[in-house]
Amino acid sequence: MLLRMFLRLKTKLNYREIHTTSRRCCGVVSYVYTSPSSHIQSDRDYQSLLRGLTAVKHRGPDGEPSLWQNDERTVGLGHTRLSIIDLSDRGRQPLHSYDRQLHLSMNGELYDHDRIRKQAIEQNEYHFLSESDSEIALYLYRKYGLDFVKHLRGEFAITLYDNERKMFIATRDRFGIKPLYYTYHDNKLLFASEIKSLFEFGVPAIWNEEVIYNTGQLRSLQTIYKNIQQVPPAHILIASSNGTVNVSKYYETSYITREEEKREQRTEKEMIDGVQEQLLTAVRLRMRADVKV
């Protein structure tokens, strides 16, 4: 059955034209103070953020690293860019909402963004400032609040700051395709696409012997360095202005039950055609780009 499905798929898509999304990557480095009474080291944080971005410059070769800090300097978002959608300066991150209340730095790609953008514009729900696929995350957050992540389709690691609610959000895609590491150091939560960016904030590089002994970080959300861990796939981390930090799961993989299987009425051909249709749709969405695919 799988062989027949593959042969049908091959006749409709030239596999040589399919780009490899795993090669796509930008760099994210962000921080947020967890205590309102903390001593803010604005100049030092700025330099650390800049050095952290320089450390992952290879992830975003298109232009110089860019960063944003809020007025109080309690939040900083940084980004190195690999241009895929909207190659203009308007697509440069961190992205901001039209009212400057929402700010975002994202690594990855969001699919089906053209349809979502068109729907938002037709219903006069949001004013977009770019053609970037990442900007739909700001629109969906404005529309659904913290449930926005349930409406994202793609591979992503996101840091987002809501200035109105004084809330910092970090989240990863359902399967953890895009990395996002974090740690707590010097009264701040620090986030980065690669661990070495965290070291630029003064985080000590101390071996985590237990993780190393137990076959490394491939089987753990902990890393080979103590006190540095991954934001879990399919989870959202929320840091509030009162200092509380909460990590919760937003997606659970579901499987067909035995009872549902017994009630299945589709023929084998209908199942094959259904899977093929889903595969074709998934591939088409992933081939949308403003650069050569």
Side-chain angles (χ1 to χ4, degrees), residues 38-223:
S38 298
H39 177 60
I40 308 302
Q41 301 172 320
S42 57
D43 292 338
R44 180 178 173 183
D45 292 333
Y46 178 90
Q47 294 300 325
S48 297
L49 191 56
L50 191 58
R51 288 195 304 270
L53 291 169
T54 302
V56 291
K57 179 67 171 63
H58 59 279
R59 299 181 65 91
D62 298 328
E64 293 301 314
S66 53
L67 58 89
W68 168 87
Q69 292 176 298
N70 65 342
D71 293 338
E72 298 81 12
R73 300 298 188 264
T74 56
V75 177
L77 306 180
H79 190 263
T80 61
R81 186 186 189 192
L82 176 65
S83 302
I84 301 295
I85 305 293
D86 190 351
L87 309 186
S88 71
D89 284 342
R90 293 181 305 168
R92 185 172 299 281
Q93 297 190 40
L95 293 174
H96 314 281
S97 61
Y98 59 90
D99 58 2
R100 302 289 295 187
Q101 292 300 307
L102 303 179
H103 312 274
L104 173 142
S105 179
M106 186 190 100
N107 169 30
E109 185 177 5
L110 300 179
Y111 307 128
D112 203 22
H113 58 93
D114 288 330
R115 179 189 63 82
I116 296 173
R117 179 188 301 274
K118 180 180 178 182
Q119 175 182 298
I121 294 174
E122 289 177 347
Q123 297 178 3
N124 197 29
E125 293 182 326
Y126 193 82
H127 175 63
F128 292 92
L129 301 180
S130 75
E131 297 295 325
S132 171
D133 57 302
S134 301
E135 193 176 7
I136 67 167
L138 294 176
Y139 155 65
L140 292 172
Y141 176 80
R142 179 62 56 83
K143 183 174 182 177
Y144 297 108
L146 294 175
D147 283 339
F148 83 106
V149 71
K150 298 178 182 179
H151 299 268
L152 297 178
R153 181 175 184 175
E155 48 191 82
F156 54 83
I158 292 174
T159 56
L160 184 155
Y161 183 64
D162 184 337
N163 187 62
E164 186 175 4
R165 302 173 66 183
K166 305 301 180 186
M167 180 183 296
F168 185 97
I169 298 164
T171 187
R172 285 176 76 192
D173 61 75
R174 297 175 180 182
F175 301 104
I177 298 173
K178 296 304 181 184
L180 188 60
Y181 300 94
Y182 77 104
T183 189
Y184 179 78
H185 177 74
D186 202 16
N187 297 316
K188 295 184 291 287
L189 277 173
L190 307 172
F191 300 84
S193 297
E194 296 185 20
I195 294 176
K196 57 186 174 184
S197 293
L198 302 177
F199 297 149
E200 299 298 335
F201 286 84
V203 175
I206 303 174
W207 292 119
N208 190 331
E209 295 90 347
E210 183 179 353
V211 170
I212 296 173
Y213 179 78
N214 291 302
T215 68
Q217 64 190 54
L218 294 178
R219 297 185 180 181
S220 172
L221 292 172
Q222 300 294 320
T223 70

